[in-house]
Amino acid sequence: VSTQSTGGKNTMMCKAIRGQMSNTPALEKLLPHIKGNIGLVFSKEDPVLVRDKLLENKVAAPARAGAIAPVDVIVEAQNTGMGPEKTSFFQTLNISTKNAKGAIEIVSNVH
């Protein structure tokens, strides 16, 4: 599938679109739809093929602070391999731990 894609912060995307509006005035219709971080894909290919290719290459993004997980997450009781200096990290998360052979161990599963 031959496509061209671009992505970035909404201010940069709007600036790029405004820079091309003299060549393609119809691009102005995109501006109200640009909110947050977006990506634009331009192609002369069949949209279904482009969508399938995008979904095929989709990867999960790392979690951000305060984000709600779309699925249940369980942290299993286990030795973390982290040293005792990291105890405060687990205390902040209200995760019960104990010191086992110089490493922090999670006492019970956390949901």
Side-chain angles (χ1 to χ4, degrees), residues 62-76:
R64 292 185 178 188
I68 297 173
V71 296
D72 284 343
V73 176
I74 297 175
V75 179
E76 295 182 4

Side-chain angles (χ1 to χ4, degrees), residues 85-107:
E85 69 278 0
K86 299 288 186 180
T87 303
S88 61
F89 171 75
F90 292 98
Q91 287 175 341
T92 303
L93 298 172
N94 293 324
I95 297 176
S96 300
T97 61
K98 67 178 183 179
N99 191 346
K101 298 180 185 174
I104 298 172
E105 185 175 312
I106 298 173
V107 179

Side-chain angles (χ1 to χ4, degrees), residues 1-6 27 30 39-54:
V1 176
S2 175
T3 63
Q4 196 172 16
S5 65
T6 186
L27 287 175
L30 291 175
L40 298 175
V41 177
F42 301 94
S43 180
K44 293 181 181 177
E45 301 287 334
D46 178 8
V48 174
L49 292 175
V50 174
R51 182 203 60 209
D52 291 346
K53 194 64 162 173
L54 288 171

Side-chain angles (χ1 to χ4, degrees), residues 51-63:
R51 182 203 60 209
D52 291 346
K53 194 64 162 173
L54 288 171
L55 292 175
E56 180 182 310
N57 291 290
K58 183 178 176 180
V59 294

